[in-house]
Amino acid sequence: MRRWIVILLMTLIIIRSPATSAENGALDDFNRRFSEAVRNMVNAIVAMINAIKDAALTIGRVLGGALIAIGAVLWASDLFSYKGKKLIISGIILLIILELLLGP
């Protein structure tokens, strides 16, 4: 993986050097197209990361709410009041951590 990153960076340095781009107009066109392709790829990666972040935030909120609801039922019914209290606390902590790490 590291080898491919080094090769890509070296290729970008060679392509973007002023001596090579001033010599040929076709190379300028290639540089423009290559830069546009890289920009599009970066935008696609950022969009995928944002989609994953939004999905994780939604799932986490649902799970936090479910933990609090199940904990409240267990705590109120005195069936497993200690475990119910722990579920409520863990649901609240999960929601706080999600808002701090992934919130807008």
Side-chain angles (χ1 to χ4, degrees):
M1 180 70 177
R2 182 183 291 177
R3 187 176 297 167
W4 288 106
I5 293 173
V6 170
I7 291 171
L8 178 66
L9 290 176
M10 289 175 61
T11 305
L12 288 175
I13 289 170
I14 291 171
I15 290 173
R16 292 309 247 167
S17 68
T20 58
S21 64
E23 293 174 3
N24 194 352
L27 191 58
D28 288 336
D29 186 46
F30 174 75
N31 284 341
R32 183 182 51 78
R33 288 183 184 176
F34 186 75
S35 296
E36 184 179 330
V38 170
R39 192 176 318 115
N40 290 339
M41 186 170 38
V42 167
N43 289 339
I45 291 171
V46 168
M48 280 195 316
I49 290 173
N50 284 334
I52 292 170
K53 183 188 91 159
D54 292 341
L57 187 60
T58 302
I59 291 170
R61 284 180 178 159
V62 168
L63 289 177
L67 284 175
I68 292 172
I70 293 170
V73 168
L74 289 176
W75 178 73
S77 68
D78 275 341
L79 191 60
F80 294 103
S81 62
Y82 179 73
K83 290 187 183 197
K85 186 196 288 188
K86 292 295 182 181
L87 282 175
I88 292 171
I89 291 171
S90 64
I92 292 171
I93 290 172
L94 176 64
L95 290 175
I96 290 171
I97 289 173
L98 281 175
E99 289 302 320
L100 289 177
L101 293 180
L102 298 175

